Amino acid sequence: SLEAEEQSLLAAEDGVVAPHSSGTDKGSHVAASNGMTSSTDTARKDLGPAPHKKPNFITKFLRPDLYTDYHTLRRLVPRGFADIVYDPVTERDAYYHPSISSQTPLLWVPRDTMGVSRQECHHTGKIIPISDEGAGFNEKGKLTWDAESARPPIWQEKIYY
């Protein structure tokens, strides 16, 4: 199964030899080393020696079946570089399309002196969320908002995946 294969590959990365593995495994070429070391070997000692010597561009282009296997590409991906913890709602909705999982966005309009924005917030607020807090017009008719106070009402925390 895929889980068993993943466990055996992770065990091979950790240097643990699985008891059920034999020399005819698909990933057994990792244990054999050709003695070549590269700059990534000194930085990534936890992965062991490179499965084969570093190819040039033409060789890599002509023989991708040799140089794009799991063990070669795994050396390029960082392992355990960050411990990211997500809240349960983010974990639950991570793979949903944004139109399914996101709420209706808040419409943020600038407040004016004639009260049109307050009237618009009152009428439109029955259908969609709308606010005129923290934004307005200056004497020249330019849009301004209060950057020193709290966050704007449309601010959302960035989620790092």
Side-chain angles (χ1 to χ4, degrees), residues 103-131:
Q103 297 176 351
T104 305
L106 176 72
L107 183 59
W108 190 29
V109 295
R111 183 171 287 170
D112 58 357
T113 56
M114 295 188 301
V116 175
S117 66
R118 288 189 182 139
Q119 180 185 4
E120 192 63 35
C121 287
H122 177 70
H123 293 300
T124 309
K126 298 173 185 173
I127 301 169
I128 62 169
I130 186 170
S131 174

Short mmCIF file of all heavy atoms in Angstrom, two decimals, residues 103-131:
data_model
loop_
_atom_site.label_atom_id
_atom_site.label_comp_id
_atom_site.label_asym_id
_atom_site.label_seq_id
_atom_site.Cartn_x
_atom_site.Cartn_y
_atom_site.Cartn_z
N GLN A 103 -16.84 33.87 3.71
CA GLN A 103 -18.05 34.62 3.99
C GLN A 103 -18.19 35.73 2.95
O GLN A 103 -17.25 36.06 2.23
CB GLN A 103 -17.98 35.23 5.38
CG GLN A 103 -17.91 34.21 6.48
CD GLN A 103 -17.75 34.88 7.83
OE1 GLN A 103 -17.52 36.08 7.92
NE2 GLN A 103 -17.84 34.10 8.88
N THR A 104 -19.34 36.33 2.93
CA THR A 104 -19.56 37.46 2.02
C THR A 104 -18.64 38.59 2.45
O THR A 104 -18.58 38.93 3.63
CB THR A 104 -21.02 37.93 2.11
OG1 THR A 104 -21.88 36.83 1.85
CG2 THR A 104 -21.29 39.03 1.10
N PRO A 105 -17.88 39.16 1.53
CA PRO A 105 -16.93 40.22 1.93
C PRO A 105 -17.65 41.47 2.42
O PRO A 105 -18.77 41.77 2.00
CB PRO A 105 -16.14 40.50 0.64
CG PRO A 105 -16.98 39.98 -0.46
CD PRO A 105 -17.82 38.88 0.11
N LEU A 106 -16.98 42.18 3.30
CA LEU A 106 -17.51 43.42 3.85
C LEU A 106 -17.24 44.56 2.87
O LEU A 106 -16.11 44.73 2.41
CB LEU A 106 -16.84 43.71 5.19
CG LEU A 106 -17.21 45.04 5.85
CD1 LEU A 106 -18.63 44.98 6.38
CD2 LEU A 106 -16.24 45.36 6.95
N LEU A 107 -18.26 45.31 2.55
CA LEU A 107 -18.11 46.46 1.68
C LEU A 107 -17.76 47.66 2.55
O LEU A 107 -18.49 47.99 3.48
CB LEU A 107 -19.42 46.71 0.91
CG LEU A 107 -19.43 47.85 -0.10
CD1 LEU A 107 -18.36 47.64 -1.16
CD2 LEU A 107 -20.80 47.97 -0.72
N TRP A 108 -16.66 48.30 2.25
CA TRP A 108 -16.16 49.41 3.07
C TRP A 108 -16.25 50.68 2.26
O TRP A 108 -15.53 50.85 1.28
CB TRP A 108 -14.73 49.11 3.49
CG TRP A 108 -14.15 50.02 4.50
CD1 TRP A 108 -14.79 50.70 5.47
CD2 TRP A 108 -12.76 50.32 4.66
NE1 TRP A 108 -13.91 51.41 6.24
CE2 TRP A 108 -12.65 51.19 5.75
CE3 TRP A 108 -11.61 49.93 4.00
CZ2 TRP A 108 -11.43 51.68 6.19
CZ3 TRP A 108 -10.39 50.42 4.44
CH2 TRP A 108 -10.32 51.28 5.52
N VAL A 109 -17.15 51.58 2.63
CA VAL A 109 -17.35 52.82 1.90
C VAL A 109 -16.89 53.99 2.77
O VAL A 109 -16.93 53.92 4.00
CB VAL A 109 -18.84 53.01 1.50
CG1 VAL A 109 -19.26 51.93 0.51
CG2 VAL A 109 -19.75 53.01 2.69
N PRO A 110 -16.45 55.09 2.17
CA PRO A 110 -16.03 56.25 2.97
C PRO A 110 -17.24 57.03 3.50
O PRO A 110 -18.26 57.15 2.84
CB PRO A 110 -15.22 57.09 1.98
CG PRO A 110 -15.70 56.70 0.65
CD PRO A 110 -16.14 55.27 0.75
N ARG A 111 -17.09 57.55 4.69
CA ARG A 111 -18.14 58.35 5.32
C ARG A 111 -18.10 59.76 4.73
O ARG A 111 -17.04 60.34 4.53
CB ARG A 111 -17.91 58.40 6.83
CG ARG A 111 -19.02 59.15 7.56
CD ARG A 111 -18.87 58.99 9.04
NE ARG A 111 -19.26 57.61 9.38
CZ ARG A 111 -19.07 57.07 10.57
NH1 ARG A 111 -18.48 57.74 11.52
NH2 ARG A 111 -19.46 55.84 10.80
N ASP A 112 -19.27 60.32 4.45
CA ASP A 112 -19.34 61.68 3.91
C ASP A 112 -20.11 62.59 4.87
O ASP A 112 -20.76 62.12 5.80
CB ASP A 112 -19.99 61.69 2.51
CG ASP A 112 -21.39 61.11 2.51
OD1 ASP A 112 -21.84 60.65 3.57
OD2 ASP A 112 -22.03 61.13 1.46
N THR A 113 -20.01 63.87 4.64
CA THR A 113 -20.63 64.85 5.54
C THR A 113 -22.13 64.96 5.33
O THR A 113 -22.85 65.38 6.24
CB THR A 113 -19.98 66.23 5.35
OG1 THR A 113 -20.08 66.62 3.98
CG2 THR A 113 -18.53 66.19 5.77
N MET A 114 -22.64 64.60 4.16
CA MET A 114 -24.07 64.72 3.89
C MET A 114 -24.88 63.55 4.42
O MET A 114 -26.11 63.57 4.40
CB MET A 114 -24.30 64.87 2.38
CG MET A 114 -23.72 66.16 1.82
SD MET A 114 -24.17 66.49 0.12
CE MET A 114 -23.54 65.09 -0.72
N GLY A 115 -24.22 62.46 4.86
CA GLY A 115 -24.93 61.32 5.43
C GLY A 115 -25.39 60.29 4.43
O GLY A 115 -26.15 59.39 4.78
N VAL A 116 -24.92 60.40 3.19
CA VAL A 116 -25.32 59.43 2.17
C VAL A 116 -24.75 58.05 2.50
O VAL A 116 -25.43 57.03 2.32
CB VAL A 116 -24.87 59.89 0.76
CG1 VAL A 116 -25.17 58.84 -0.29
CG2 VAL A 116 -25.51 61.22 0.41
N SER A 117 -23.53 58.02 3.02
CA SER A 117 -22.92 56.72 3.34
C SER A 117 -23.66 56.03 4.47
O SER A 117 -23.83 54.80 4.45
CB SER A 117 -21.45 56.90 3.70
OG SER A 117 -21.32 57.63 4.90
N ARG A 118 -24.14 56.77 5.46
CA ARG A 118 -24.90 56.16 6.56
C ARG A 118 -26.22 55.61 6.06
O ARG A 118 -26.66 54.53 6.47
CB ARG A 118 -25.15 57.19 7.67
CG ARG A 118 -23.88 57.50 8.42
CD ARG A 118 -24.15 58.33 9.63
NE ARG A 118 -22.88 58.63 10.28
CZ ARG A 118 -22.57 59.79 10.79
NH1 ARG A 118 -23.45 60.78 10.79
NH2 ARG A 118 -21.40 59.98 11.35
N GLN A 119 -26.87 56.36 5.17
CA GLN A 119 -28.14 55.88 4.61
C GLN A 119 -27.89 54.62 3.77
O GLN A 119 -28.65 53.66 3.85
CB GLN A 119 -28.78 56.97 3.75
CG GLN A 119 -30.09 56.54 3.14
CD GLN A 119 -30.66 57.60 2.21
OE1 GLN A 119 -30.04 58.63 1.96
NE2 GLN A 119 -31.84 57.34 1.68
N GLU A 120 -26.81 54.63 2.98
CA GLU A 120 -26.48 53.47 2.15
C GLU A 120 -26.14 52.27 3.02
O GLU A 120 -26.52 51.13 2.70
CB GLU A 120 -25.32 53.81 1.22
CG GLU A 120 -25.08 52.79 0.14
CD GLU A 120 -26.26 52.64 -0.81
OE1 GLU A 120 -26.95 53.63 -1.10
OE2 GLU A 120 -26.49 51.51 -1.26
N CYS A 121 -25.43 52.49 4.12
CA CYS A 121 -25.12 51.39 5.04
C CYS A 121 -26.39 50.82 5.65
O CYS A 121 -26.50 49.60 5.84
CB CYS A 121 -24.17 51.87 6.14
SG CYS A 121 -22.49 52.15 5.58
N HIS A 122 -27.34 51.67 5.97
CA HIS A 122 -28.60 51.21 6.55
C HIS A 122 -29.39 50.35 5.56
O HIS A 122 -29.89 49.27 5.90
CB HIS A 122 -29.43 52.41 7.00
CG HIS A 122 -30.77 52.03 7.54
ND1 HIS A 122 -30.92 51.39 8.75
CD2 HIS A 122 -32.02 52.19 7.04
CE1 HIS A 122 -32.20 51.16 8.96
NE2 HIS A 122 -32.90 51.65 7.94
N HIS A 123 -29.50 50.81 4.31
CA HIS A 123 -30.29 50.08 3.31
C HIS A 123 -29.57 48.84 2.79
O HIS A 123 -30.17 47.77 2.67
CB HIS A 123 -30.65 50.99 2.13
CG HIS A 123 -31.59 52.09 2.49
ND1 HIS A 123 -32.85 51.86 3.00
CD2 HIS A 123 -31.46 53.44 2.42
CE1 HIS A 123 -33.46 53.01 3.23
NE2 HIS A 123 -32.62 54.00 2.90
N THR A 124 -28.29 48.97 2.47
CA THR A 124 -27.55 47.84 1.90
C THR A 124 -27.19 46.81 2.96
O THR A 124 -27.00 45.64 2.64
CB THR A 124 -26.27 48.35 1.20
OG1 THR A 124 -26.63 49.40 0.31
CG2 THR A 124 -25.58 47.26 0.42
N GLY A 125 -27.11 47.25 4.23
CA GLY A 125 -26.76 46.34 5.31
C GLY A 125 -27.76 45.22 5.49
O GLY A 125 -27.46 44.21 6.14
N LYS A 126 -28.94 45.34 4.94
CA LYS A 126 -29.94 44.27 5.01
C LYS A 126 -29.58 43.11 4.08
O LYS A 126 -30.05 42.00 4.28
CB LYS A 126 -31.32 44.81 4.64
CG LYS A 126 -31.81 45.88 5.59
CD LYS A 126 -33.09 46.49 5.09
CE LYS A 126 -33.53 47.65 5.99
NZ LYS A 126 -34.69 48.36 5.45
N ILE A 127 -28.77 43.39 3.07
CA ILE A 127 -28.44 42.38 2.06
C ILE A 127 -27.01 41.86 2.22
O ILE A 127 -26.79 40.66 2.25
CB ILE A 127 -28.64 42.96 0.64
CG1 ILE A 127 -30.09 43.39 0.49
CG2 ILE A 127 -28.25 41.94 -0.41
CD1 ILE A 127 -30.36 44.20 -0.73
N ILE A 128 -26.05 42.77 2.31
CA ILE A 128 -24.64 42.40 2.46
C ILE A 128 -24.03 43.19 3.60
O ILE A 128 -24.52 44.28 3.93
CB ILE A 128 -23.83 42.62 1.16
CG1 ILE A 128 -23.82 44.10 0.77
CG2 ILE A 128 -24.33 41.77 0.04
CD1 ILE A 128 -22.83 44.42 -0.33
N PRO A 129 -22.96 42.72 4.20
CA PRO A 129 -22.30 43.49 5.24
C PRO A 129 -21.62 44.73 4.65
O PRO A 129 -20.93 44.65 3.64
CB PRO A 129 -21.26 42.54 5.83
CG PRO A 129 -21.34 41.28 5.08
CD PRO A 129 -22.38 41.39 4.04
N ILE A 130 -21.83 45.88 5.27
CA ILE A 130 -21.29 47.14 4.77
C ILE A 130 -20.93 48.02 5.97
O ILE A 130 -21.58 47.95 7.02
CB ILE A 130 -22.29 47.86 3.83
CG1 ILE A 130 -21.67 49.09 3.20
CG2 ILE A 130 -23.58 48.16 4.52
CD1 ILE A 130 -22.50 49.71 2.09
N SER A 131 -19.88 48.82 5.82
CA SER A 131 -19.43 49.68 6.90
C SER A 131 -18.83 50.96 6.32
O SER A 131 -18.25 50.95 5.24
CB SER A 131 -18.38 48.97 7.75
OG SER A 131 -17.85 49.85 8.70
#
